[in-house]
Amino acid sequence: MFKNYLFTAAERFMRYVQVDTQSDPQSAASPTTEKQKDLSRLLAEELKQMGISDAAMDEYGYVYATIPATTKKKVPVLCFCAHVDTAPDASGTGVKPLFHRNYQGADIVLPDDQNQVLRLKDYPYLERLKGHDIITASGKTLLGSDDKAGVAEIIDAAHFLMTHPEIPHGTIRILFTPDEEVGKGTAKVDMEKLGADFGYTLDGGEVGSLEDETFSADAVQLVIHGVITHPGYAKGKMVNALKIAADVLAALPRAELSPETTDGKQGFIHPVRVDGLAEKATIDFIIRDFVTAELKVKEDLLRGLVEQVMEKYPQAHFDFNVTEQYRNMKEVLDQHPEVVDHAKEAIARAGLKVKMESIRGGTDGSRLSFMGLPCPNLFAGEQAIHSRLEFISVQDMNKAVETIVHLACIWEERSKNQ
Ligand SMILES: [Zn+2]
């Protein structure tokens, strides 16, 4: 169906990455940086020019748009979603995208910082990109393929569908969000206004990959209350909360259940912050596992360790507070197997091998899934993200566009006649 069609995602991508959209974890505003709206505004404008009349950015920098249905069948409303912001890890100011035609495996030295060299041996995925056209930044900034690749691919798929009304598909909603990189991508999303049944984020790496699983996540705050007295007259009375905190940290498992000693499907207990005075100390933990019920097991283990330590300090006491952070999206997706099945079929129709993956973290998709929009993550082609060596293949981007279009068709094909 796409034989003679030239996708233009890369051309769009080269423009979008030049707009600085870095988000700011320190800011309490929505969006956290005003400059994210520069891109959102541009995207809404481009969608409008394609004839998508309702495309608009809201006050928080979210873009909503609708590709109208071209079928009489009743098809679930799909949402394709990507984020406009880039990570605070590396500068996003003055990004100069460079196009490297027909990559053959040679080192790519980035011209603005000769120490930044993209080498095949460091990034084995490059082996698969021989013969592809690659885009990198120039050495001083990140590229921003995370997630402007997803943005460009969705826009390009929208353009394709709007110029090919003969292709039957249901109503498609487009959503671009700010602040994903600082964990607030879904903070101001209006689910009612979005009005979609199922969603796909385009924010993954390797071509063909499909992520339907994330961690489940809780936070634990441990507050240790010591006993304070004048230190000159403290004998037999003072109980120092800082020393108890140190004992708790020393008692934590090291060889297992830690981020630095686990991978794959293993979870962990991870202290992320210590704060305190002799009188009172606080330790913040994050607890992670793919199985939600296992969070409780890990929390009980942690509480047991704390109780053991506290036995040595009968005058002291503690509070142990658990808060839910997010849940494994698979719990929701398993109730709607067609969402992942159709994505697998779309990837296969694009001529790719499906690679199912789990994310050792959370995504906007996991939050959206529990907000009522089952939403796995599709590949967008982004590589070496959050770094100055970030790169992406033009051909991978085109495969993502193709996958989006196939998905729209598959949902229509597999829906019943009205
Ligand atoms: Zn991302």
Side-chain angles (χ1 to χ4, degrees):
M1 154 197 324
F2 315 123
K3 274 273 150 50
N4 301 312
Y5 188 78
L6 190 67
F7 289 118
T8 52
E11 178 274 321
R12 299 175 194 281
F13 176 76
M14 300 277 278
R15 285 191 287 112
Y16 302 157
V17 297
Q18 295 179 57
V19 183
D20 184 357
T21 56
Q22 190 178 57
S23 48
D24 176 5
Q26 309 302 332
S27 162
S30 289
T32 60
T33 53
E34 273 298 300
K35 59 189 176 185
Q36 295 178 68
K37 287 185 177 173
D38 295 343
L39 181 58
S40 291
R41 215 173 281 118
L42 174 76
L43 298 174
E45 190 48 43
E46 287 189 15
L47 289 166
K48 263 211 163 101
Q49 279 168 14
M50 286 174 199
I52 300 180
S53 53
D54 71 344
M57 178 186 80
D58 74 6
E59 59 183 308
Y60 307 113
Y62 289 71
V63 176
Y64 298 83
T66 313
I67 305 173
T70 53
T71 182
K72 290 213 170 64
K73 282 188 184 176
K74 195 170 158 47
V75 185
V77 176
L78 296 187
C79 169
F80 291 101
C81 173
H83 63 93
V84 297
D85 65 317
T86 60
D89 308 63
S91 169
T93 305
V95 174
K96 280 192 266 168
L98 302 176
F99 192 80
H100 310 268
R101 193 177 295 281
N102 191 17
Y103 171 75
Q104 290 298 331
D107 290 357
I108 297 177
V109 182
L110 301 184
D112 290 346
D113 180 350
Q114 309 272 325
N115 294 319
Q116 298 288 320
V117 183
L118 189 59
R119 293 187 179 91
L120 183 74
K121 71 168 169 45
D122 301 332
Y123 296 97
Y125 186 72
L126 282 168
E127 185 63 43
R128 290 175 53 181
L129 301 187
K130 285 184 179 167
H132 285 217
D133 304 317
I134 290 177
I135 301 170
T136 66
S138 64
K140 282 213 157 72
T141 64
L142 47 63
L143 175 62
S145 69
D146 174 11
D147 184 22
K148 286 166 186 166
V151 170
E153 289 153 6
I154 293 170
I155 295 260
D156 208 44
H159 179 254
F160 180 83
L161 291 172
M162 290 301 289
T163 49
H164 290 75
E166 74 281 6
I167 295 178
H169 60 79
T171 302
I172 292 168
R173 292 284 279 157
I174 292 170
L175 174 66
F176 296 128
T177 62
D179 292 330
E180 191 266 359
E181 298 290 358
V182 294
K184 294 179 184 166
T186 57
K188 298 282 180 187
V189 69
D190 183 339
M191 297 305 282
E192 210 164 305
K193 176 173 165 186
L194 184 63
D197 298 305
F198 302 109
Y200 297 93
T201 48
L202 272 105
D203 195 12
E206 182 173 342
V207 86
S209 68
L210 172 60
E211 295 164 327
D212 67 340
E213 210 173 353
T214 57
F215 270 148
S216 279
D218 279 351
V220 170
Q221 185 168 70
L222 172 67
V223 184
I224 300 160
H225 303 274
V227 179
I228 199 68
T229 64
H230 186 292
Y233 307 93
K235 188 172 181 184
K237 297 188 200 101
M238 185 191 282
V239 184
N240 190 325
L242 295 172
K243 292 180 180 171
I244 303 175
D247 285 0
V248 169
L249 292 173
L252 292 175
R254 304 284 163 99
E256 48 170 15
L257 295 177
S258 298
E260 59 271 34
T261 54
T262 52
D263 61 6
K265 284 290 173 70
Q266 300 165 311
F268 53 72
I269 298 168
H270 177 39
V272 290
R273 186 165 184 269
V274 183
D275 190 29
L277 300 165
E279 186 180 16
K280 181 179 148 189
T282 304
I283 310 177
D284 289 312
F285 295 88
I286 60 170
I287 314 291
R288 299 289 185 264
D289 205 283
F290 285 99
V291 181
T292 300
E294 284 294 316
L295 293 177
K296 175 82 166 62
V297 175
K298 290 186 169 56
E299 286 149 15
D300 288 347
L301 178 100
L302 178 58
R303 191 193 296 264
L305 288 175
V306 174
E307 280 167 357
Q308 244 175 19
V309 167
M310 295 299 286
E311 275 172 22
K312 289 189 286 175
Y313 306 98
Q315 309 303 321
H317 65 279
F318 71 95
D319 306 317
F320 189 94
N321 299 312
V322 180
T323 27
E324 181 177 321
Q325 292 185 310
Y326 57 86
R327 291 291 177 255
N328 186 345
M329 63 160 90
K330 198 161 197 309
E331 291 172 13
V332 176
L333 291 172
D334 280 349
Q335 294 166 35
H336 308 277
E338 67 276 22
V339 179
V340 166
D341 287 348
H342 293 3
K344 286 181 180 168
E345 172 65 17
I347 291 169
R349 283 192 197 179
L352 302 167
K353 234 169 97 184
V354 180
K355 191 174 173 204
M356 297 303 296
E357 298 200 274
S358 313
I359 308 170
R360 288 178 62 81
T363 66
D364 275 356
S366 44
R367 293 183 183 88
L368 289 170
S369 291
F370 285 90
M371 288 163 82
L373 186 76
C375 192
N377 187 35
L378 277 170
F379 73 92
E382 52 203 69
Q383 296 291 328
I385 56 172
H386 299 199
S387 85
R388 291 189 276 164
L389 289 175
E390 204 180 337
F391 62 96
I392 191 162
S393 143
V394 172
Q395 285 77 1
D396 281 5
M397 293 182 73
N398 287 346
K399 283 294 174 191
V401 179
E402 213 180 312
T403 302
I404 295 171
V405 176
H406 280 305
L407 250 176
C409 297
I410 291 165
W411 277 93
E412 196 272 346
E413 276 170 34
R414 297 188 177 175
S415 296
K416 287 188 188 71
N417 275 310
Q418 209 150 358

